[in-house]
Amino acid sequence: MMMKTLLPMNTVKCRRLLWAMIVIAIFVCAISAQNPSPNMMSPARLSLMPIPASVQLQPGRLQITSGFTVATKNFADDRLRAAIARMLRRLEGRTVLTLPADLSNDEAAATLVIQCERAGETIPSLNENESYSLEINDKQARLVAPTVVGALRGLETFLQMLQGDRDGFFMPAIRINDQPRFPWRGLLIDVGRHYEPMEVLKRNLDAMAAVKLNVFHWHLSEDQGFRVESKKFPKLTGLGSDGLFYTQDQVREIIAYARDRGIRVMPEFDIPGHSTSWLVAYPELGSAPGPYKIERGAGIFEPALDPTREQTYKFLDTFLGEMAGLFPDDYLHIGGDENEGKQWDRNPQIQVFMKEKGIKDNHALQAYFNQRILKILQKHHKKMIGWDEILHPDLPTDAVIQSWRGPASLAEAAKKGYNGILSAGYYIDLILPAAEHYQADPIPANTSLSAEEAKHVLGGEATMWGEWVSSETIDSRIWPRTAAIAERLWSPRNINDIEDMYRRLSVISRQLEELGLTHEKNYEMMLRRLAASENSAPLRTLASIIEPVKQYRRYQQRPQTMLSPLTGLVDAARPDSETARRFNAHVNSFLADAPRFALNRSELERTLAEWQTASRALGPMIDQSPALQEARPLANDLSVIATAGLEAMSYLSSGDAPTMEWRQAQLARLDEAAKPKAALEFVVMSSLRKLVIAAGELPQLHSMTPAEWNKRVTMMASPPAAKP
Amino acid sequence: MMMKTLLPMNTVKCRRLLWAMIVIAIFVCAISAQNPSPNMMSPARLSLMPIPASVQLQPGRLQITSGFTVATKNFADDRLRAAIARMLRRLEGRTVLTLPADLSNDEAAATLVIQCERAGETIPSLNENESYSLEINDKQARLVAPTVVGALRGLETFLQMLQGDRDGFFMPAIRINDQPRFPWRGLLIDVGRHYEPMEVLKRNLDAMAAVKLNVFHWHLSEDQGFRVESKKFPKLTGLGSDGLFYTQDQVREIIAYARDRGIRVMPEFDIPGHSTSWLVAYPELGSAPGPYKIERGAGIFEPALDPTREQTYKFLDTFLGEMAGLFPDDYLHIGGDENEGKQWDRNPQIQVFMKEKGIKDNHALQAYFNQRILKILQKHHKKMIGWDEILHPDLPTDAVIQSWRGPASLAEAAKKGYNGILSAGYYIDLILPAAEHYQADPIPANTSLSAEEAKHVLGGEATMWGEWVSSETIDSRIWPRTAAIAERLWSPRNINDIEDMYRRLSVISRQLEELGLTHEKNYEMMLRRLAASENSAPLRTLASIIEPVKQYRRYQQRPQTMLSPLTGLVDAARPDSETARRFNAHVNSFLADAPRFALNRSELERTLAEWQTASRALGPMIDQSPALQEARPLANDLSVIATAGLEAMSYLSSGDAPTMEWRQAQLARLDEAAKPKAALEFVVMSSLRKLVIAAGELPQLHSMTPAEWNKRVTMMASPPAAKP
């Protein structure tokens, strides 16, 4: 049962005692709620994500029937009414109940009363008050928020409260007081490398709102494409976009859509590097003569704007002025990352300029550039934000740092007085499990920052870099893992039970589908296409325990261009396999059940036999479907894995130890199977190694406790180079 | 193997002999190709849909590799180049090959050469030449078409030729000559009752193009909503649309999108009935004083325009003039259906008008109205088309009749000189199997029409009426069944092998997914939501053998409004269950295997046992998910069905006949289970009755041949009232 009562601790020192008292008081209440009295109706498990700052379950439940009505109190505007209508549609979708479409005028009788005081910021901003409280009892739910944005956040919590049993739909009685830990909780979507259609952005904005993210960081220009219409410089998209860009009307549509959901839209125009697509259109801005072609590869490229010519600043003044008018957000992101300055090194004019001005290196030259840009942005009433690299002694402290380097680098900046947000740890394109992202904290428990300094850490952003995502696959790379990051940025620091996070993530993932997200449904579709058959079951079995290789190894192992199809098995396979997680947990419990080895035995044997069967069925399937030919070695590995597992379990069950030869042979085969193929890797290998080693170590079980024996097996099973 | 050589026979009489000779000659070639010589590489089964007019397989195959290139010859325009780019993207998606993005200049070396002569009609029209020929040999594919539209049709055939085996992707060598049987092959989408977002229309236009449909009939106004912006009468959408409508820019976007795919866009504004939403905005046009409210129910409603007032015609002149400018198609559909004239009967002014003008009944009054509208349309250079009801002695023959009554009514109109299209038989909202639609023919073999008269039959249209479809479910109501209708309208009349149609339909259905169609993927998603669990397997088992009730019984059995959620089990379940079709076929072969009863036995027993297991698992699932409570009786029926089947099979296998009591009890239970619940019905019931009766009839098997016995069982198993 989720029963956390937590308040943020990074408040001013003089209030600490008061806070501590409140925390203790509420904690006592929470404990008592955790052990409900017998006459309290037992509530189903809550699956809130992010977990609110304070949650107290109460006795009782509110039935949700077709008589469900909503009333507003004190303040309501179009944004609130539209949000209520959306909430009703989702509630109807889940319950299959036809609910009254009109708001009720009878506050006393309404099922849900929403009490707001004001609209909130006209343009969504960092200063927004997003707090709310939600109280549900037998008769009514009451959502109270100072602003409409707080009410939007509360409506999402409200929807997450829905439960069902034989007596119908209901919400457990509860008291929630909630506000975010950080004011900046973002998702970057890189539409430069692969363009994403409007509906992809819209459904992801819906999903962001569902998990209370509030900044859409729109990475709009890259070496591989310039994606926003400029009326001043139409060649930017005319020559630099392959015709794939957003018109200014579409930009306004996205901004309005995001605002309706309490989400800021911050544009990024990455300069001076990452700018090939600009130079295709305007080579005169470049640091080398050109001509330039839209980049089709992945990596870091040389083209960079020429920071020594006034023409560059004149262009950027006009362009950024136009964009400042288009994007109402306070911030404009100038990128600033990964410019290695090779073009600068080779340009004699630039070298002369540096000498004349006493600019000692490329980093200093970029700092000079940044200061010029800062002035332009200030002129257009925008605050500047950029990646780690923009940090330089000459950078004024009103610039904001987005850190891909880590909390330490962020803390260092904070101590110098810079505001910052964390993205290191939230790079969802690296295909890491949600648990890893979940443990990255913008202000870790062991932070060296004072409370005052910590205020400079505004939050964080998940980054969906676009090298290997299409409109078909992007949802599966963002969700559900980003919901765990959203919780890290919203919920108190000490909400960090990974197992419970995964339990809730699975529920939330399903709910995201009602917003049109395709992370689940495109998986099956892609497997059907690859199988060239509607019976994709054996392929699904394989795909369920493999993942794309991590970090940036995909490109090394399976190079493609930005024009390549993203429809291979590596694209269908998803990060953070739930099947593998469950299998690994079962193996652990099975081994912990030594020397009986009964727990989960039949389930594990069934699973391994299913892998064996699937491996056999994959051969003929691959024969018919050349798109799967690269997966043939994986199909063979699946058989190796299944055989090793079944044989090991047979030894363990019988209590007879295998020979050393068997053990060595199996481990050698598993090592081969563990090597990535087609940029995919099995994520059950450590469990298989454990089973084989456990079988081999059976004789030792007589001379030590099962716990000692298990520890020994686990240690022996960890391959030398791998992380635990 | 698909090896049909067929030419349309409805040509002028003097040419018949020539045709007959050609047909015979080609048929001989086809027969020889059907029995390929041993040195001809055996081609995989073709899955073309619609089947071309003439297909001749050849020895050899063209490999499809990453070196695939396309060259154009004689004529190419932007539309053709865009179509080639789309084709390449789909080919890449299926093959996971990165193909060159640019056209080749080397005609001799290109893998595919496309030779066109001209652009085709500027505005897609009935006069379009859609013919093409496609020749594929070991070295090259050559697509020849007089117009770009013909080339578009040929490119779809080309994509359907793709096959794969151990040696990679390839296309079998072939010669295809193709042209449509009918020039009007449409799909009506009713966006009046439920609005459909732009992306739904776009992906359906893509799917239409994939199966060579060429008319998007856009049913834009209904009692329940007015869906297109009028700048002359903004209140039409301002008050009559709930804010759900297409702007004129969006209309132009759809028209351009359709034109790019060789598809006409014909708007329908249904008058004088079906006009409540107009009258919400402009009650002064109505035949009763109003005020009017947007209709939320399903059915036939009374509101109708007042045909006796000049104001009505003035309004329509302005409105239809505006729409005539917006929609470039030659035709404008005025509906004209289902006006029962009840408002007219009750309006004294209208009664006086009729008396004065000598108009004897409401049908005549509507004819008067239609003639006035016809003049308005002629003034705006549009041809008029309407439903059956507009047919009246006073109607000029340049009006076109869309028949919901049937081929006989269409033939009658054709004899009077009216052009017509068939929709009877193609009402896909009735949830009938594809086989039924497939057998409906605009000009049946037994037609009474002369060849000259038959030319008045222009084709047909599938009609997706919108009462019970949302953007989540509409694809599953249109596809894949509409592909079978598309084949009926394109391919020669004697292409009518139902089993082979279903074989190909299953392949085409999967290919449609690459266009973003959701008929497959939303099924699983909706079941997950209903199950409130990612393990929806037992629910999927149930859903796979039930279908929504047919015809218009859904509303009677499970009334809802247009504002109700369409997320219930009846919405997730789909027409034309493939699982049931397979089960029924297996039962037939099993019984035909009398007295051995071995064929398919283990498969049938496994299936029935799986139903039993699913039935047990559904109980707890329904307990947790109140949205499934209406499905509880179906879960119980599933157990009844499985038990009856397993017991019957056990008797048949053992050769021991059951008692008469057992037989009567099982049949009574099956009769109960056969009754629809939650507007859903099992579609395996006749097979179950067969099994039970077969068990009961075991003793008769000694005294007759298995064939006689099977006939007896089948006859006894047909419930008295049911169709065979």
Side-chain angles (χ1 to χ4, degrees):
Chain A
M1 195 166 19
M2 276 306 87
M3 188 80 50
K4 308 283 182 174
T5 304
L6 299 144
L7 287 164
M9 293 303 286
N10 54 334
T11 181
V12 289
K13 284 178 183 174
C14 60
R15 287 192 181 165
R16 282 212 170 161
L17 186 62
L18 179 59
W19 277 117
M21 286 171 63
I22 295 173
V23 168
I24 291 165
I26 300 176
F27 192 64
V28 170
C29 299
I31 291 292
S32 68
Q34 260 176 331
N35 302 290
S37 61
N39 67 345
M40 173 180 156
M41 188 175 286
S42 169
R45 249 177 165 185
L46 289 182
S47 295
L48 304 181
M49 183 171 260
I51 289 184
S54 152
V55 177
Q56 292 173 266
L57 274 168
Q58 306 286 318
R61 60 192 255 170
L62 177 67
Q63 288 298 126
I64 305 295
T65 68
S66 60
F68 183 92
T69 54
V70 184
T72 60
K73 191 178 170 181
N74 292 4
F75 179 86
D77 58 10
D78 283 348
R79 178 159 66 161
L80 180 59
R81 280 184 288 267
I84 293 168
R86 289 196 304 274
M87 180 276 288
L88 285 171
R89 214 155 307 133
R90 287 161 68 193
L91 199 56
E92 284 182 318
R94 290 187 210 171
T95 60
V96 202
L97 296 170
T98 302
L99 307 179
D102 296 327
L103 287 179
S104 161
N105 292 319
D106 184 350
E107 188 203 325
T111 323
L112 170 65
V113 177
I114 302 171
Q115 178 181 330
C116 277
E117 304 306 327
R118 58 182 194 274
E121 304 286 310
T122 310
I123 296 160
S125 92
L126 263 181
N127 305 319
E128 194 75 81
N129 184 326
E130 300 178 274
S131 70
Y132 69 92
S133 71
L134 176 64
E135 188 168 340
I136 300 177
N137 60 36
D138 286 340
K139 299 203 176 58
Q140 198 171 56
R142 188 165 279 267
L143 172 60
V144 178
T147 70
V148 166
V149 176
L152 298 184
R153 306 292 177 248
L155 282 171
E156 296 294 344
T157 304
F158 181 77
L159 273 169
Q160 291 182 354
M161 290 292 299
L162 185 71
Q163 318 248 342
D165 64 13
R166 286 188 73 101
D167 297 322
F169 287 103
F170 69 96
M171 296 187 184
I174 205 161
R175 268 191 216 145
I176 290 173
N177 279 293
D178 201 9
Q179 72 281 327
R181 180 174 167 213
F182 294 108
W184 189 310
R185 307 177 309 279
L187 169 64
L188 174 152
I189 297 184
D190 165 15
V191 297
R193 293 180 173 93
H194 280 98
Y195 170 81
E196 297 295 341
M198 290 287 283
E199 64 260 30
V200 172
L201 301 184
K202 286 184 179 178
R203 68 186 185 228
N204 276 284
L205 284 165
D206 281 319
M208 287 174 66
V211 295
K212 303 185 172 60
L213 290 174
N214 68 355
V215 183
F216 170 39
H217 177 160
W218 204 353
H219 186 81
L220 279 162
S221 70
E222 258 306 337
D223 294 304
Q224 296 89 346
F226 193 97
R227 304 295 182 204
V228 66
E229 175 190 23
S230 164
K231 296 194 192 287
K232 305 278 187 186
F233 302 106
K235 282 197 289 181
L236 284 169
T237 53
L239 298 174
S241 78
D242 297 304
L244 298 169
F245 64 95
Y246 309 95
T247 65
Q248 295 202 353
D249 276 345
Q250 288 178 318
V251 168
R252 280 184 279 268
E253 194 178 330
I254 290 293
I255 291 169
Y257 196 90
R259 182 188 181 277
D260 243 23
R261 286 147 184 82
I263 296 173
R264 295 167 44 205
V265 177
M266 178 182 70
E268 175 178 351
F269 299 100
D270 203 345
I271 46 178
H274 288 277
S275 55
T276 308
S277 63
W278 308 54
L279 302 178
V280 175
Y282 300 96
E284 61 272 25
L285 302 176
S287 304
Y292 294 83
K293 274 167 52 180
I294 295 178
E295 181 58 53
R296 304 304 186 190
I300 298 175
F301 303 98
E302 296 189 1
L305 303 186
D306 184 341
T308 68
R309 282 193 291 180
E310 285 310 305
Q311 190 192 356
T312 305
Y313 300 106
K314 202 173 150 217
F315 179 97
L316 288 172
D317 186 12
T318 308
F319 173 75
L320 294 174
E322 184 186 10
M323 292 300 123
L326 182 59
F327 291 92
D329 198 69
D330 279 345
Y331 290 82
L332 195 147
H333 201 297
I334 60 144
D337 55 319
E338 298 181 326
N339 170 38
E340 297 177 345
K342 288 185 186 160
Q343 279 196 343
W344 293 353
D345 293 340
R346 286 197 300 267
N347 183 322
Q349 277 176 301
I350 292 177
Q351 294 307 314
V352 168
F353 179 91
M354 288 170 74
K355 202 162 287 174
E356 281 176 5
K357 296 258 181 186
I359 295 173
K360 65 176 199 302
D361 59 17
N362 286 337
H363 190 209
L365 181 56
Q366 189 161 340
Y368 164 82
F369 175 79
N370 289 340
Q371 285 172 60
R372 298 286 305 261
I373 300 302
L374 182 67
K375 288 208 186 75
I376 291 172
L377 289 179
Q378 284 167 340
K379 173 180 158 195
H380 298 297
H381 311 293
K382 291 291 174 194
K383 295 177 185 164
M384 182 164 111
I385 167 166
W387 297 96
D388 269 322
E389 288 94 328
I390 72 166
L391 196 56
H392 184 277
D394 296 339
L395 185 75
T397 52
D398 38 358
V400 176
I401 309 298
Q402 178 162 21
S403 179
W404 58 264
R405 289 188 177 138
S409 137
L410 202 60
E412 190 192 329
K415 282 179 184 165
K416 290 177 183 152
Y418 295 99
N419 285 338
I421 57 174
L422 184 68
S423 274
Y426 306 138
Y427 269 47
I428 50 180
D429 61 321
L430 301 183
I431 316 287
L432 300 170
E436 289 206 26
H437 300 308
Y438 194 56
Q439 290 170 91
D441 199 314
I443 309 173
N446 63 357
T447 183
S448 62
L449 296 178
S450 70
E452 205 54 44
E453 288 166 344
K455 285 183 187 166
H456 287 299
V457 179
L458 303 176
E461 281 188 1
T463 53
M464 181 69 262
W465 296 110
E467 280 88 347
W468 310 120
V469 289
S470 69
S471 58
E472 261 180 17
T473 63
I474 189 168
D475 294 1
S476 75
R477 272 44 183 163
I478 302 178
W479 308 104
R481 292 177 303 150
T482 295
I485 298 172
E487 174 157 294
R488 175 57 52 239
L489 298 173
W490 176 283
S491 303
R493 183 199 282 153
N494 56 355
I495 299 286
N496 48 25
D497 177 335
I498 288 174
E499 203 174 312
D500 190 65
M501 179 276 285
Y502 273 120
R503 178 188 67 78
R504 290 176 292 119
L505 194 62
S506 157
V507 176
I508 297 301
S509 180
R510 218 170 342 98
Q511 288 171 7
L512 289 174
E513 287 199 86
E514 77 194 9
L515 302 167
L517 274 277
T518 63
H519 55 301
E520 275 296 330
K521 59 190 182 184
N522 277 3
Y523 175 66
E524 297 272 348
M525 180 273 286
M526 295 179 77
L527 295 179
R528 279 192 293 271
R529 182 168 55 204
L530 283 165
S533 162
E534 64 276 14
N535 175 21
S536 57
L539 185 60
R540 196 169 55 232
T541 299
L542 171 64
S544 73
I545 51 169
I546 55 179
E547 292 178 8
V549 288
K550 310 297 174 287
Q551 308 286 349
Y552 292 124
R553 290 202 290 271
R554 170 180 172 150
Y555 182 63
Q556 295 155 18
Q557 296 184 12
R558 193 173 172 281
Q560 283 185 306
T561 77
M562 293 303 121
L563 299 178
S564 297
L566 298 172
T567 55
L569 189 54
V570 67
D571 302 293
R574 295 176 297 183
D576 212 2
S577 159
E578 199 170 337
T579 308
R581 204 161 53 240
R582 211 179 309 124
F583 178 82
N584 294 335
H586 281 175
V587 167
N588 286 342
S589 338
F590 170 76
L591 292 176
D593 191 36
R596 259 183 1 127
F597 300 113
L599 198 60
N600 299 320
R601 184 163 107 200
S602 59
E603 165 128 19
L604 282 171
E605 282 171 352
R606 196 168 54 240
T607 300
L608 290 163
E610 188 195 322
W611 295 356
Q612 193 66 274
T613 311
S615 167
R616 268 183 234 116
L618 278 166
M621 179 184 282
I622 294 170
D623 287 347
Q624 295 303 311
S625 178
L628 279 175
Q629 261 167 20
E630 63 176 344
R632 206 183 288 276
L634 292 162
N636 297 338
D637 290 344
L638 186 60
S639 170
V640 166
I641 288 171
T643 305
L646 285 168
E647 289 183 16
M649 287 188 68
S650 159
Y651 284 117
L652 288 164
S653 301
S654 68
D656 298 334
T659 62
M660 186 54 89
E661 288 69 38
W662 176 89
R663 172 179 170 158
Q664 290 311 107
Q666 294 301 330
L667 289 178
R669 283 188 203 152
L670 288 178
D671 284 350
E672 275 307 305
K675 290 181 186 158
K677 283 119 197 166
L680 287 157
E681 59 192 358
F682 285 93
V683 283
V684 291
M685 298 314 293
S686 67
S687 292
L688 267 303
R689 287 179 55 86
K690 266 188 219 171
L691 286 172
V692 167
I693 287 169
E697 293 297 307
L698 262 176
Q700 319 309 321
L701 193 46
H702 304 298
S703 57
M704 48 180 86
T705 68
E708 286 167 350
W709 180 81
N710 248 292
K711 198 174 167 193
R712 176 187 169 92
V713 166
T714 300
M715 278 183 59
M716 293 177 76
S718 307
K723 283 179 286 183
Chain B
M1 196 166 22
M2 277 305 85
M3 189 79 51
K4 309 284 183 174
T5 305
L6 299 144
L7 287 164
M9 293 301 287
N10 53 336
T11 180
V12 290
K13 283 179 184 175
C14 60
R15 288 192 181 165
R16 284 217 171 157
L17 186 63
L18 178 61
W19 276 118
M21 287 172 63
I22 296 173
V23 167
I24 289 165
I26 300 176
F27 191 64
V28 170
C29 300
I31 290 293
S32 69
Q34 260 175 333
N35 302 292
S37 60
N39 66 345
M40 173 179 156
M41 188 174 288
S42 168
R45 248 178 166 184
L46 289 182
S47 296
L48 305 181
M49 183 170 260
I51 289 185
S54 154
V55 177
Q56 292 174 266
L57 274 169
Q58 306 284 318
R61 59 192 255 169
L62 177 68
Q63 288 298 127
I64 305 295
T65 68
S66 59
F68 183 93
T69 53
V70 184
T72 60
K73 191 178 172 182
N74 293 4
F75 178 87
D77 60 8
D78 283 348
R79 179 158 65 161
L80 180 59
R81 281 183 288 269
I84 294 169
R86 289 197 303 274
M87 181 275 287
L88 286 171
R89 213 154 307 133
R90 287 160 69 192
L91 199 55
E92 284 182 318
R94 290 187 210 171
T95 60
V96 201
L97 296 169
T98 303
L99 307 179
D102 296 328
L103 288 179
S104 162
N105 293 319
D106 185 350
E107 188 203 324
T111 323
L112 169 65
V113 177
I114 302 172
Q115 178 182 328
C116 277
E117 305 307 326
R118 57 181 194 277
E121 305 285 311
T122 310
I123 295 159
S125 91
L126 262 182
N127 305 319
E128 193 76 81
N129 185 326
E130 301 177 275
S131 69
Y132 69 93
S133 70
L134 176 63
E135 189 168 339
I136 301 177
N137 60 35
D138 286 341
K139 298 204 177 57
Q140 198 171 55
R142 188 165 278 267
L143 172 59
V144 178
T147 69
V148 166
V149 176
L152 298 184
R153 305 292 176 249
L155 282 171
E156 296 294 343
T157 305
F158 181 77
L159 273 170
Q160 291 183 354
M161 290 293 300
L162 185 71
Q163 318 248 341
D165 65 13
R166 285 189 73 100
D167 297 323
F169 287 101
F170 70 95
M171 296 188 185
I174 205 163
R175 270 193 213 142
I176 290 174
N177 279 293
D178 201 10
Q179 72 282 327
R181 179 174 168 214
F182 294 108
W184 188 310
R185 307 176 309 280
L187 169 64
L188 174 153
I189 297 183
D190 164 14
V191 297
R193 293 180 174 92
H194 280 98
Y195 170 82
E196 296 295 341
M198 290 288 283
E199 62 261 31
V200 172
L201 301 184
K202 286 183 177 175
R203 68 186 185 228
N204 276 284
L205 285 165
D206 282 317
M208 287 174 66
V211 295
K212 303 183 171 60
L213 289 174
N214 68 355
V215 183
F216 170 39
H217 176 159
W218 204 353
H219 186 81
L220 279 161
S221 70
E222 259 305 337
D223 294 304
Q224 295 88 347
F226 194 97
R227 304 295 181 204
V228 65
E229 177 191 21
S230 165
K231 295 193 193 285
K232 305 278 187 187
F233 302 106
K235 280 195 290 182
L236 285 169
T237 53
L239 298 175
S241 78
D242 297 305
L244 298 169
F245 65 95
Y246 309 96
T247 65
Q248 295 202 353
D249 277 345
Q250 288 178 318
V251 168
R252 280 184 281 269
E253 194 178 331
I254 289 294
I255 290 168
Y257 196 92
R259 182 188 180 278
D260 243 22
R261 286 146 185 83
I263 296 174
R264 296 167 45 205
V265 177
M266 177 182 69
E268 175 179 351
F269 299 99
D270 203 347
I271 46 177
H274 287 278
S275 55
T276 307
S277 64
W278 308 55
L279 302 178
V280 174
Y282 299 97
E284 60 272 24
L285 302 175
S287 303
Y292 293 84
K293 274 167 53 181
I294 295 178
E295 182 58 54
R296 304 304 185 188
I300 299 176
F301 302 98
E302 297 189 0
L305 304 186
D306 185 341
T308 68
R309 282 193 290 179
E310 285 311 304
Q311 190 192 355
T312 304
Y313 300 105
K314 201 173 152 221
F315 178 98
L316 288 172
D317 186 13
T318 308
F319 174 75
L320 293 173
E322 183 186 10
M323 292 301 123
L326 181 60
F327 291 91
D329 198 69
D330 280 344
Y331 290 83
L332 195 147
H333 202 299
I334 60 142
D337 56 317
E338 299 182 325
N339 170 38
E340 297 176 343
K342 288 186 187 160
Q343 277 196 344
W344 293 354
D345 293 339
R346 284 198 302 266
N347 181 324
Q349 277 175 300
I350 292 178
Q351 294 308 312
V352 167
F353 180 91
M354 288 170 75
K355 203 162 285 173
E356 280 174 6
K357 296 258 182 185
I359 295 172
K360 67 176 197 303
D361 58 18
N362 285 338
H363 189 208
L365 180 57
Q366 190 162 338
Y368 163 82
F369 174 80
N370 288 341
Q371 285 172 60
R372 296 286 306 263
I373 300 301
L374 182 67
K375 289 207 184 74
I376 291 171
L377 290 180
Q378 283 166 340
K379 174 180 156 193
H380 298 297
H381 312 292
K382 291 292 173 192
K383 294 176 186 164
M384 182 163 112
I385 169 167
W387 297 96
D388 268 324
E389 288 94 329
I390 71 164
L391 196 57
H392 183 276
D394 297 338
L395 186 75
T397 53
D398 39 355
V400 176
I401 308 299
Q402 178 162 22
S403 179
W404 57 264
R405 289 188 177 136
S409 137
L410 202 58
E412 190 192 329
K415 283 179 185 167
K416 289 176 184 153
Y418 294 99
N419 285 339
I421 57 173
L422 184 67
S423 273
Y426 306 138
Y427 270 46
I428 49 180
D429 61 320
L430 301 183
I431 316 286
L432 300 170
E436 290 206 24
H437 300 307
Y438 194 56
Q439 291 171 88
D441 199 313
I443 309 174
N446 63 357
T447 182
S448 62
L449 296 179
S450 70
E452 205 54 44
E453 287 166 344
K455 285 184 187 166
H456 287 299
V457 178
L458 303 176
E461 280 188 1
T463 52
M464 182 68 262
W465 297 110
E467 280 90 345
W468 310 120
V469 289
S470 70
S471 57
E472 261 180 17
T473 64
I474 188 167
D475 294 0
S476 74
R477 271 46 183 164
I478 301 179
W479 307 104
R481 293 178 302 149
T482 295
I485 298 173
E487 174 157 293
R488 175 56 52 240
L489 297 173
W490 177 283
S491 303
R493 185 198 280 151
N494 57 355
I495 300 285
N496 48 25
D497 177 335
I498 288 174
E499 205 174 311
D500 190 65
M501 178 276 285
Y502 273 121
R503 178 188 67 76
R504 292 176 290 119
L505 193 63
S506 156
V507 176
I508 297 301
S509 180
R510 217 169 345 97
Q511 288 172 7
L512 289 174
E513 287 199 87
E514 78 194 9
L515 302 168
L517 274 278
T518 63
H519 55 302
E520 274 297 330
K521 60 190 181 183
N522 277 3
Y523 174 65
E524 297 273 347
M525 180 273 287
M526 293 178 79
L527 295 179
R528 279 192 292 272
R529 182 169 53 203
L530 282 166
S533 161
E534 63 277 14
N535 174 21
S536 57
L539 185 59
R540 196 168 57 232
T541 300
L542 171 63
S544 73
I545 50 168
I546 54 178
E547 291 178 7
V549 289
K550 310 295 174 288
Q551 309 285 349
Y552 292 124
R553 290 203 289 274
R554 170 179 170 150
Y555 182 63
Q556 294 155 18
Q557 295 183 13
R558 194 174 172 278
Q560 282 186 307
T561 78
M562 293 303 122
L563 299 178
S564 297
L566 297 172
T567 54
L569 189 54
V570 68
D571 301 293
R574 295 176 298 183
D576 213 2
S577 160
E578 200 170 337
T579 308
R581 204 160 54 240
R582 212 178 309 125
F583 178 81
N584 295 335
H586 281 175
V587 168
N588 286 341
S589 339
F590 170 76
L591 291 177
D593 191 36
R596 257 180 7 122
F597 300 114
L599 198 60
N600 299 321
R601 184 163 107 199
S602 60
E603 166 129 17
L604 282 171
E605 282 170 351
R606 197 169 52 241
T607 302
L608 289 163
E610 189 196 322
W611 296 357
Q612 193 67 274
T613 311
S615 166
R616 269 184 234 115
L618 279 165
M621 180 184 282
I622 295 170
D623 288 347
Q624 294 303 311
S625 177
L628 279 175
Q629 260 168 19
E630 61 176 347
R632 205 183 287 276
L634 292 161
N636 296 338
D637 290 344
L638 186 61
S639 171
V640 166
I641 287 169
T643 304
L646 285 168
E647 288 184 16
M649 288 188 68
S650 161
Y651 283 117
L652 289 163
S653 302
S654 68
D656 299 332
T659 62
M660 185 54 89
E661 287 69 38
W662 177 88
R663 172 179 171 157
Q664 290 311 108
Q666 293 301 329
L667 289 178
R669 280 188 206 154
L670 289 178
D671 284 349
E672 276 307 305
K675 291 181 186 158
K677 284 119 197 164
L680 287 158
E681 58 192 358
F682 285 93
V683 283
V684 289
M685 298 314 292
S686 68
S687 292
L688 267 301
R689 286 178 56 85
K690 266 189 215 168
L691 286 172
V692 167
I693 287 169
E697 293 296 306
L698 263 177
Q700 320 308 321
L701 191 46
H702 305 296
S703 56
M704 50 181 83
T705 67
E708 285 166 349
W709 180 81
N710 249 292
K711 196 172 167 194
R712 176 189 169 92
V713 166
T714 301
M715 277 184 58
M716 292 177 75
S718 307
K723 282 178 287 184

